[in-house]
């Protein structure tokens, strides 16, 4: 009968287990200690798993509060949403090209969303979870019912356009993506038609602690004539366009 050599890496575990089993059988104290060490190892494994699970569950949700800058390269065009509300195509394209900065603040259930462009600042304040309230547009010609609510990590502001009839809604929601960027979504709901959905991306430029400082520095750095100049340029452009449209067609001289 031939004898085959057993590699040492195969003999070592067998030798170790046989020696430990014989030691445990000979010594009662060894049996007690072995049970104690096994129990400690089991407790450590369970505690490690529990801490890992708690760390995963107790992570705070992404914070929407702070300052955000629009990343136009990763934004869908807002023109379909605006044209669905009746905005002329040229005006919708111009508005879509204007970069936006958002500042979101919160005190209790009261949330303020401030959007800032080179043409000015618009601020919307809504009480989350409260009944809808009647609001008016900036020029005061149209009214709507405003409300706000939270769904998970997303915050939504809803406008019910009751003057247009039943079933007219606009929703604007914000949520933080896993990569830390913020997703802004516009939804236009109309009776008998498909919803228009536009998604835009914002990157964080400041947290909630920087909001007050940024507002103060912006007010100090922005000259008082900036907004009147923008309005004046717009008026001049409108007048020139009107004069150009009103001119009679040229007649070629023979």
């Amino acid at each position: 009968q031939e004898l085959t050599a057993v590699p040492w890496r195969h003999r070592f575990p067998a030798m170790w287990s046989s020696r430990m089993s014989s030691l445990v059988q000979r010594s009662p104290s060894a049996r007690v200690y072995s049970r104690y060490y096994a129990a400690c190892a089991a407790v450590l494994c369970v505690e490690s798993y529990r801490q890992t699970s708690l760390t995963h569950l107790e992570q705070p949700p992404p914070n929407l509060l702070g300052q955000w800058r629009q990343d136009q390269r990763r934004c869908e065009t807002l023109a379909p949403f605006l044209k669905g509300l009746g905005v002329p195509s040229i005006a919708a394209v111009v508005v879509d090209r204007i970069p936006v900065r958002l500042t979101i603040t919160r005190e209790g259930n009261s949330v303020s969303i401030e959007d800032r462009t080179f043409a000015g600042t618009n601020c919307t304040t809504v009480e989350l979870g409260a009944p809808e309230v009647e609001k008016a547009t900036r020029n005061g010609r149209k009214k709507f019912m405003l409300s706000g609510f939270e769904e998970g990590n997303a915050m939504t502001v809803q406008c019910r356009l009751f003057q247009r009839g039943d079933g007219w809604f606009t929703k604007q929601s914000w949520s933080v993506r896993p990569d830390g960027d913020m997703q802004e979504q516009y939804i236009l709901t109309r009776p008998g038609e498909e919803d228009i959905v536009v998604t835009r991306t914002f990157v964080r430029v400041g947290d909630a602690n920087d909001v007050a400082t940024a507002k103060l520095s912006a007010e100090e750095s922005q000259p008082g004539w900036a907004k009147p100049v923008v309005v004046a340029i717009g008026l001049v452009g409108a007048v020139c366009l009107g004069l150009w449209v009103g001119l009679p067609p040229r007649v070629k001289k023979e």
Side-chain angles (χ1 to χ4, degrees):
Q1 183 179 2
E2 296 182 358
L3 298 177
T4 57
V6 179
W8 66 270
R9 62 178 180 272
H10 294 163
R11 288 182 295 171
F12 182 76
M15 293 171 56
W16 176 260
S17 60
S18 62
R19 290 183 180 180
M20 289 299 298
S21 60
S22 61
L23 177 62
V24 169
Q25 291 176 359
R26 288 197 306 267
S27 174
S29 60
R31 289 197 298 269
V32 173
Y33 283 126
S34 64
R35 293 173 183 174
Y36 173 76
Y37 291 142
C40 289
V43 170
L44 289 176
C45 290
V46 172
E47 183 65 17
S48 176
Y49 176 78
R50 190 181 72 87
Q51 291 294 334
T52 304
S53 302
L54 289 177
T55 303
H56 176 71
L57 295 175
E58 294 175 357
Q59 288 180 351
N63 193 0
L64 284 170
L65 307 183
Q67 299 173 334
W68 304 88
R69 174 178 55 81
Q70 181 186 359
D71 187 353
Q72 292 183 305
R73 298 172 300 175
R74 296 187 291 162
C75 291
E76 298 176 352
T77 175
L78 195 60
F81 178 86
L82 297 175
K83 287 189 288 186
L85 291 172
V87 178
S89 299
I90 297 178
V93 173
V94 171
V95 172
D96 182 57
R97 298 289 183 179
I98 298 177
V100 180
R101 281 178 175 260
L102 290 180
T103 301
I104 303 177
T105 57
R106 179 171 182 171
E107 293 183 4
N109 288 331
S110 179
V111 178
S112 296
I113 302 98
E114 178 184 276
D115 58 275
R116 181 185 298 272
T117 65
F118 68 85
T121 303
N122 181 48
C123 185
T124 301
T125 301
V126 63
E127 192 80 13
L128 297 178
E132 58 182 7
V133 294
E134 183 175 314
K135 295 286 184 178
T137 56
R138 299 181 68 175
N139 54 22
R141 292 185 296 180
K142 295 183 179 180
K143 296 182 179 180
F144 56 92
M145 303 300 293
L146 179 69
S147 60
F149 53 90
E150 289 180 297
E151 291 181 342
N153 295 330
M155 182 174 60
T156 302
V157 173
Q158 175 178 283
C159 298
R160 183 167 63 86
L161 311 178
F162 65 92
Q163 290 184 328
R164 295 176 180 256
D166 295 335
W168 280 83
F169 293 92
T170 64
K171 293 181 181 180
Q172 191 175 3
S173 63
W174 302 269
S175 60
V176 179
R177 295 171 177 168
D179 60 0
D181 294 338
M182 183 179 71
Q183 173 179 293
E184 180 185 51
Q185 193 170 71
Y186 287 84
I187 302 176
L188 174 60
T189 301
R190 299 166 294 176
E193 299 187 43
E194 293 184 359
D195 293 351
I196 297 177
V197 181
V198 177
T199 302
R200 307 202 294 180
T201 301
F202 286 74
V203 295
R204 186 185 293 274
V205 294
D207 55 17
N209 297 326
D210 300 331
V211 171
T213 304
K215 285 185 177 180
L216 182 60
S217 61
E219 293 175 357
E220 293 177 350
S221 61
Q222 183 177 8
W225 49 264
K227 187 173 181 179
V229 167
V230 172
V231 175
I233 293 174
L235 291 176
V236 171
V239 171
C240 293
L241 180 61
L243 293 175
W244 178 76
V245 172
L247 289 176
R250 291 185 178 181
V251 179
K252 294 184 179 180
K253 295 182 180 181
E254 296 181 355

